[in-house]
Amino acid sequence: MYRVFETLDALVTVVEEARGLPMTATCVVPRGDVLDLLDELREALPGELDDAQDVLDHRDELMSTAERRADEVTEQADQDADKLLGDARAEAERLVTQASAEAEQLVGRARHEAERTIADARAQHQDLVERARVEAERLTETGRANYEHAVAEGRAEQARLVAQTEVVQAAHIESGRVIDAGEREADRLRAECDHYIESSLSSFEDTLTRTLQTVQRGRGHRGARRDLSGRPEQTGPRDRIGADLLD
């Protein structure tokens, strides 16, 4: 069959490469080449035709054989599939049963662990609650004691501050009284001092006045004596003092 195709390809090549006639669709082909190719084609076709006829003659048989083989393969495949399906179903059921058993075991273990955990948590909760209650009572007692102590200290401090306030008020009152008394005493002393100074100055003024009068009279007597004798009288200090005393 392959030889026939080769011969036909060569014949087509000869026709395609043939020289064409101008203004026409015909061509000039080498007769010898074309005849040789046709002879080869004639020689090749009977054997290929016989083979093709044999194939056509055995087609039905081949189709029957192929169908029987296909049916056998399909039946075997169905059997194998049913067997595999049964095996898979059995394995799946086994795995489901095993998984269910393992799940039941895990659920039982989880339930037991959860119950134990809950029991431990409740025990810890009770312990913590008891500790918290004891600590709250202790803190309450401590807070009450601290409160009472703070209240007592506050009251003592309040009493002390009140006492200090009373003392301070009394001190302010006493200081005001002392200051007022001091100011009154200072005014009295100032008035007495002014009166003393005034009286002393007045007495000193009188003494000075009398002394000036005595001096003036003494001068007048000495002038009169100087006029009578024509010279001044010789007198000593004692005479002058006596005259002053007599005057």
Side-chain angles (χ1 to χ4, degrees):
M1 196 66 180
Y2 180 72
R3 183 181 174 185
V4 173
F5 291 147
E6 284 184 347
T7 304
L8 290 174
D9 292 336
L11 184 61
V12 171
T13 301
V14 170
V15 174
E16 288 178 350
E17 293 179 355
R19 182 171 56 86
L21 295 176
M23 306 299 292
T24 64
T26 61
C27 63
V28 178
V29 295
R31 180 179 298 174
D33 294 337
V34 173
L35 291 175
D36 291 337
L37 292 173
L38 290 175
D39 290 337
E40 291 180 3
L41 184 61
R42 186 181 296 113
E43 292 177 357
L45 281 176
E48 298 295 334
L49 290 174
D50 291 338
D51 294 336
Q53 187 63 42
D54 293 337
V55 171
L56 290 175
D57 293 339
H58 292 85
R59 181 185 62 179
D60 295 334
E61 183 179 357
L62 291 174
M63 289 293 295
S64 299
T65 303
E67 288 178 357
R68 287 195 303 270
R69 183 59 181 167
D71 293 337
E72 291 176 357
V73 171
T74 303
E75 184 179 0
Q76 185 65 35
D78 292 338
Q79 293 176 359
D80 293 339
D82 293 337
K83 183 176 180 301
L84 291 174
L85 183 59
D87 294 340
R89 185 179 293 108
E91 184 66 17
E93 291 177 356
R94 187 184 66 81
L95 292 175
V96 169
T97 304
Q98 183 179 357
S100 298
E102 292 179 355
E104 290 293 334
Q105 292 179 358
L106 291 175
V107 169
R109 292 177 183 175
R111 185 180 296 108
H112 178 70
E113 185 68 20
E115 291 176 355
R116 186 181 63 81
T117 303
I118 292 171
D120 293 340
R122 287 178 179 174
Q124 292 179 1
H125 174 71
Q126 293 294 331
D127 185 44
L128 291 175
V129 169
E130 184 64 22
R131 290 182 182 179
R133 186 181 62 77
V134 173
E135 184 67 17
E137 291 178 355
R138 186 184 66 81
L139 292 175
T140 301
E141 292 295 332
T142 303
R144 186 181 294 109
N146 292 332
Y147 171 75
E148 292 178 355
H149 180 69
V151 170
E153 288 184 351
R155 289 177 180 175
E157 183 67 17
Q158 183 181 5
R160 186 180 65 80
L161 292 175
V162 170
Q164 287 183 356
T165 303
E166 293 177 354
V167 171
V168 170
Q169 291 178 354
H172 281 298
I173 294 172
E174 182 65 19
S175 63
R177 188 183 64 78
V178 171
I179 291 171
D180 292 339
E183 290 180 354
R184 289 195 299 271
E185 183 67 18
D187 294 337
R188 186 183 65 79
L189 292 176
R190 189 181 297 109
E192 291 181 355
C193 182
D194 292 339
H195 179 70
Y196 175 76
I197 293 172
E198 184 67 26
S199 61
S200 296
L201 289 175
S202 179
S203 176
F204 184 68
E205 185 180 4
D206 293 340
T207 302
L208 287 177
T209 301
R210 288 196 301 272
T211 302
L212 288 175
Q213 291 177 357
T214 302
V215 170
Q216 289 176 0
R217 285 197 299 272
R219 287 179 178 177
H221 288 301
R222 284 196 296 274
R225 290 178 182 177
R226 196 167 37 246
D227 291 338
L228 290 176
S229 60
R231 60 177 181 177
E233 183 179 359
Q234 298 293 325
T235 59
R238 293 182 179 178
D239 295 335
R240 287 197 297 272
I241 293 172
D244 292 334
L245 291 176
L246 289 175
D247 294 334

